[in-house]
Amino acid sequence: MTNWPQDYSGAWTLSRPVGRSGVGLHSGREAEVQLLPCDRAGIFLSFAGEDRPPVLLRPHQVRDSALCTTLELGERRVATVEHLLAALAGCGLSHVEIRLSGDEVPLLDGSALQWVEAIAEAGLKPASSPRPLAPPLQQPLVRSRGSSVITATPAERFSLVGVIDFPQAAIGRQQLAIELTPERFVEEIAPARTFGFRDQVEQLRAAGLIQGGALDNALVCDGDQWLNPPLRFPDEPVRHKILDLIGDLALVGFPQAQVLVYRGSHGLHTELAAALQDASLTPAL
């Protein structure tokens, strides 16, 4: 049993390196990730076999890409980072280096659970420098795309409200509210797997996407039923959407706010992260 941090105020790094490997969701290619302890605050990324220094990951590097979150680091692009970033931030790590072999983070089982298990295997230790804390949000932020909307409202503690609404009867309308802590993230959010729809599989594959998708790393919905039950939670889809949101907010840091998202997407999450970053750089009047 790992003793996770009580909240997100402390500075934590890994006690030792740990690694995982697997196929990328979209490329279908093998990739390996090593997670390394780090003395500097932030999440850094380096590429195996290259002698360039690790790059500090920032919200402005995020690109809105189909069905995943992609980082643009100079001439390199790194796809499907959201589950790993969610695990790092959700577990409370503030000082860590990701060393990647490949150009897409492995999907593993489609959730953040195996990343959490890797972090637990390595263990956490106090970092040697403080965690940079975002200043309090001064006023509400709202971003929307069509019928989708995301808001951040100043609050005592970081909490999330997710609402999804799908025409497929197996999913329908689901909502979940959670005041996030590392322990709650590990127990209630990290195991929730990504999901897709049977009638979209061939179209996405023809477009060069989900080449590594399979029934052991994604839930597949076929109208009023799942092709690969059982679910880990009755409301696993909305929990996974919250997992994606946590990953997309990881690079800006968790705001002292309640974040509510209705029918979210990586693009919408990224817009909020950029707005939070701008708000943190703007002095209060």
Side-chain angles (χ1 to χ4, degrees):
M1 177 69 182
T2 302
N3 291 321
W4 299 105
Q6 289 190 327
D7 56 31
Y8 297 107
S9 63
W12 298 92
T13 191
L14 295 167
S15 294
R16 64 178 180 86
V18 67
R20 290 291 186 271
S21 61
V23 298
L25 169 61
H26 295 301
S27 67
R29 293 192 291 269
E30 280 282 333
E32 182 178 1
V33 164
Q34 290 282 323
L35 302 176
L36 308 172
C38 187
D39 292 329
R40 293 180 292 168
I43 300 174
F44 292 81
L45 190 142
S46 62
F47 294 99
E50 296 187 8
D51 57 6
R52 288 185 289 183
V55 176
L56 176 63
L57 299 185
R58 299 282 200 182
H60 73 265
Q61 298 156 343
V62 175
R63 297 293 175 265
D64 186 1
S65 55
L67 301 181
C68 71
T69 299
T70 296
L71 300 175
E72 191 171 282
L73 308 172
E75 72 279 10
R76 299 287 296 263
R77 289 172 75 92
V78 179
T80 322
V81 297
E82 58 270 22
H83 301 167
L84 173 55
L85 294 181
L88 297 173
C91 288
L93 285 163
S94 56
H95 297 54
V96 66
E97 179 184 336
I98 302 165
R99 184 168 295 161
L100 175 64
S101 165
D103 55 9
E104 184 176 16
V105 173
L107 183 62
L108 303 181
D109 74 346
S111 75
L113 182 60
Q114 287 175 284
W115 295 119
V116 167
E117 291 170 349
I119 293 164
E121 183 183 310
L124 273 63
K125 68 177 182 180
S128 56
S129 59
R131 170 194 288 265
L133 296 177
L137 192 63
Q138 299 297 321
Q139 59 188 15
L141 297 172
V142 181
R143 294 293 183 272
S144 62
R145 287 187 174 193
S147 61
S148 302
V149 64
I150 191 167
T151 68
T153 307
E156 294 264 325
R157 286 173 286 277
F158 179 50
S159 64
L160 295 154
V161 181
V163 184
I164 61 174
D165 196 356
F166 284 88
Q168 292 83 358
I171 304 175
R173 184 182 176 93
Q174 299 178 8
Q175 62 186 59
L176 181 72
I178 184 168
E179 188 176 298
L180 205 67
T181 66
E183 187 170 350
R184 288 186 190 134
F185 171 80
V186 167
E187 296 295 327
E188 300 179 38
I189 302 298
R193 293 162 292 175
T194 193
F195 61 95
F197 302 94
R198 183 179 184 177
D199 60 3
Q200 296 176 6
V201 168
E202 292 311 317
Q203 178 186 353
L204 291 171
R205 287 209 162 136
L209 300 169
I210 67 167
Q211 304 299 307
L215 293 177
D216 61 356
N217 60 23
L219 289 167
V220 180
C221 178
D222 187 14
D224 60 358
Q225 64 182 348
W226 295 96
L227 294 186
N228 51 341
L231 272 62
R232 293 174 176 173
F233 306 95
D235 57 354
E236 190 167 353
V238 73
R239 290 173 189 263
H240 186 79
K241 286 293 190 180
I242 287 178
L243 169 63
D244 281 343
L245 173 59
I246 291 167
D248 291 335
L249 293 180
L251 298 184
V252 74
F254 295 153
Q256 199 173 321
Q258 181 188 75
V259 176
L260 184 150
V261 60
Y262 173 70
R263 300 180 66 181
S265 65
H266 291 299
L268 191 62
H269 303 165
T270 298
E271 285 189 28
L272 180 70
L276 287 166
Q277 178 80 354
D278 290 344
S280 72
L281 297 175
T282 304
L285 297 177

